[in-house]
Amino acid sequence: MSAPIPLQTNAYGMLQSGHPHDAALDRLEFRDGTLRLGWKKEDGARYRLELGAIHHQCLTHFLGVQILSEIYIWPLADASKAATIPAAAWGTLLSSTCRAEKIPAEATRITVQHPGASFVLCEFSYGGDMAVICETVALVQEGTI
């Protein structure tokens, strides 16, 4: 079994470890309360992102096999990181359950209610987004195929 590797993000919350840009998302699994996303890089390296203790999630315009554009991770407890979450990211998470004018207040409520959580946004190159508020985020390198 592979061990988690450190999560490294840039100043905007973009995941740097695992280099997901242009990787093929080939697994999406929800089991035992954990959402697992798996991707394979062109060089054959495989990674898995595990999102546990999910409070909110939304998957929009998903087409099946997707090419990852970017993954962002913003810890809600870190005010400077949480402040960089774009309004569009909150819109991705909440637009199916909130009217547009209610989204800022709902974003504030979620941030206050789940201070130990992280906001994870996956953007795909050819349409579709996934937004998740969860308590745990782990990245695992599975090896090379």
Side-chain angles (χ1 to χ4, degrees):
M1 182 164 176
S2 303
I5 61 174
L7 287 171
Q8 297 173 349
T9 59
N10 68 12
Y12 304 102
M14 189 182 304
L15 182 64
Q16 304 297 293
S17 41
H19 310 287
H21 184 73
D22 284 343
L25 180 75
D26 60 1
R27 285 178 292 144
L28 183 62
E29 169 186 75
F30 187 76
R31 187 176 34 148
D32 301 326
T34 300
L35 180 62
R36 292 173 182 86
L37 297 90
W39 65 89
K40 183 172 90 171
K41 307 272 303 151
E42 285 186 15
D43 66 3
R46 296 192 57 80
Y47 293 89
R48 181 177 71 241
L49 188 67
E50 298 184 351
L51 309 175
I54 295 172
H55 299 293
H56 300 273
Q57 63 185 355
C58 185
L59 179 64
T60 62
H61 305 104
F62 193 72
L63 301 173
V65 175
Q66 295 282 11
I67 303 299
L68 282 162
S69 177
E70 303 298 343
I71 297 175
Y72 296 88
I73 302 170
W74 297 288
L76 298 181
D78 183 339
S80 65
K81 294 265 188 189
T84 65
I85 302 173
W90 286 108
T92 297
L93 179 68
L94 300 170
S95 63
S96 65
T97 58
C98 286
R99 292 190 326 247
E101 66 272 11
K102 302 278 187 184
I103 289 175
E106 183 64 7
T108 300
R109 185 191 71 73
I110 289 170
T111 302
V112 170
Q113 186 177 15
H114 304 292
S118 292
F119 188 126
V120 178
L121 177 70
C122 298
E123 296 178 333
F124 301 104
S125 296
Y126 302 107
D129 295 301
M130 183 181 346
V132 177
I133 302 290
C134 60
E135 290 294 323
T136 63
V137 181
L139 179 63
V140 176
Q141 183 169 9
E142 297 181 322
T144 304
I145 293 178

